[in-house]
Amino acid sequence: MKTRMLDGLESSELGLGCMGMSEFYGERDDEESIRTIHRALELGVTLLDTADIYGVGRNEELVGRALQGRREQAIVATKFGNVRDEDGTFRGIDGSPEYVRRACEASLRRLGVDVIDLYQQHRVDPETPIEETVGAMYELIEEGKVRFIGLSEAQPEDLRRAAATAPIATLQTEYSLFERGVENGILDTCDELGIGFLAYAPLGRGLLTGRFRSESDFGDDDFRGGGRYPRLTGENFEHNLRLVEEVEAVAESRGATAAQVALAWLLTRRPWIVPIPGTKRVKYLEQNVAAAELQLTADELARLDALVPAGGSVPGERYGGGRVPTWVSPPLTA
Ligand SMILES: NC(=O)c1ccc[n+]([C@@H]2O[C@H](COP(=O)([O-])OP(=O)(O)OC[C@H]3O[C@@H](n4cnc5c(N)ncnc54)[C@H](OP(=O)(O)O)[C@@H]3O)[C@@H](O)[C@H]2O)c1
């Protein structure tokens, strides 16, 4: 697979999101998840994205298990800053320097690695000046515990202040055919500051794959079901499914899948964007990786661009009004 430069960090042009392997998207199957990570590395997908809160540490442990004997093939990207209790209860955001150091030690231990390749602040802490957080992250680079630092869901002003404090390799924020809010200045700021971009939820949290045809396709153990995720609920679900049908029409004419079209569209947006589609299954991983070979025509791109206006989003809040999902997955309580 080709690579892309994220500031000084060279990544495969598609990464792998590991979150759903441990929480939020239904049942866990650790063995299949580990096979998926191994297959990703075999196919040249280097960037593995996790976070300390996914499964309250379990996702980092899973990634660590998968990397035994394969550490050198991967770019390990994790995150800190959203604080949860052992039982999954969300406690808020902490970007204090003391917390940054403690969180990093805990992630290194769970991942079983000596160094984290990309350490990202999951959410900017409104109570801690970003200079203090990023300053503490930079000290981790100086100590050899982290190679590159990144932010997630940061606004242009945060990016400017952070980049004035230390080199910022990446910003990770939602970006897809459904969610184009980052086109309102955020991508331009990244361009100006030389910051790479990780596009999370590039498949619209799964809807853009065409696999989910009704709300009841999300089980009770899935945060997208039960009316918990406004974007995939009621009229919004129906509206967004119509858009998926347009993506499927483009896909069909190319003998591709809707997911491949959605990823191929993202890859055309800027040369320093790396989408990180999430899956816990080898078969989906293999399909998604093939998106890197799909060259969309100008007509197809225009058709896709027209689904949601530049800078716009499909109807429905991304987080039900909050900034993170605060629902606790049943697997954590099991
Ligand atoms: N920074 C943040 O705040 C933040 C927030 C959310 C996510 N993320 C990161 O971004 C990554 C990706 O986002 P996401 O997982 O939320 O959403 P996503 O990548 O848009 O969609 C994931 C969903 O799509 C399904 N899927 C993937 N490929 C498929 C295919 N080819 N055919 C059918 N279904 C397919 C997955 O199914 P299976 O699970 O059944 O394989 C899963 O249900 C996460 O894993 C996480 O690392 C970051």
Side-chain angles (χ1 to χ4, degrees), residues 108-249:
L108 285 166
R109 195 174 56 247
R110 282 190 295 263
L111 288 160
V113 297
D114 298 327
V115 60
I116 293 165
D117 298 305
L118 178 63
Y119 200 43
Q120 307 158 96
Q121 184 183 26
H122 211 154
R123 291 290 182 278
V124 174
D125 176 4
E127 306 297 326
T128 306
I130 199 161
E131 291 82 357
E132 288 183 21
T133 308
V134 168
M137 293 167 80
Y138 188 66
E139 284 175 17
L140 296 172
I141 295 185
E142 291 178 322
E143 291 165 21
K145 293 177 176 166
V146 162
R147 287 176 57 222
F148 292 90
I149 57 184
L151 303 174
S152 171
E153 291 277 344
Q155 296 303 307
E157 180 56 20
D158 303 319
L159 290 170
R160 280 183 211 291
R161 288 171 53 187
T165 308
I168 305 296
T170 57
L171 172 69
Q172 172 172 159
T173 295
E174 187 165 352
Y175 190 24
S176 72
L177 282 167
F178 276 2
E179 176 52 63
R180 300 180 61 178
V182 294
E183 294 170 356
N184 294 323
I186 290 179
L187 291 178
D188 287 342
T189 308
C190 287
D191 199 9
E192 177 195 326
L193 298 173
I195 296 173
F197 188 89
L198 302 183
Y200 85 66
L203 303 172
R205 296 197 181 256
L207 197 68
L208 279 163
T209 68
R211 171 171 149 221
F212 303 100
R213 310 309 292 197
S214 94
E215 285 180 66
S216 59
D217 288 345
F218 300 118
D220 288 341
D221 56 356
D222 193 311
F223 115 93
R224 297 166 294 188
R228 286 179 282 266
Y229 186 51
R231 200 159 268 195
L232 299 184
T233 301
E235 284 176 10
N236 293 338
F237 186 98
E238 294 308 320
H239 175 277
N240 297 335
L241 191 57
R242 298 288 89 77
L243 300 184
V244 174
E245 286 164 4
E246 291 288 312
V247 181
E248 287 177 320

Side-chain angles (χ1 to χ4, degrees), residues 16-21 25 49-51 54 59 79 82 120 122-123 152-153 172-173 199-207 209-212 218 222 224 257 259-260 276-281 283-285 287-288 319 323-324:
L16 173 63
C18 299
M19 177 183 81
M21 296 175 180
Y25 296 164
D49 185 69
T50 178
Y54 299 162
N59 195 235
K79 319 183 197 77
N82 286 324
Q120 307 158 96
H122 211 154
R123 291 290 182 278
S152 171
E153 291 277 344
Q172 172 172 159
T173 295
Y200 85 66
L203 303 172
R205 296 197 181 256
L207 197 68
T209 68
R211 171 171 149 221
F212 303 100
F218 300 118
D222 193 311
R224 297 166 294 188
T257 68
Q260 287 166 343
I276 50 168
T279 182
K280 50 191 167 197
R281 297 165 216 267
K283 101 175 155 178
Y284 294 157
L285 179 271
Q287 289 173 12
N288 296 347
Y319 284 110
R323 296 206 298 159
V324 289

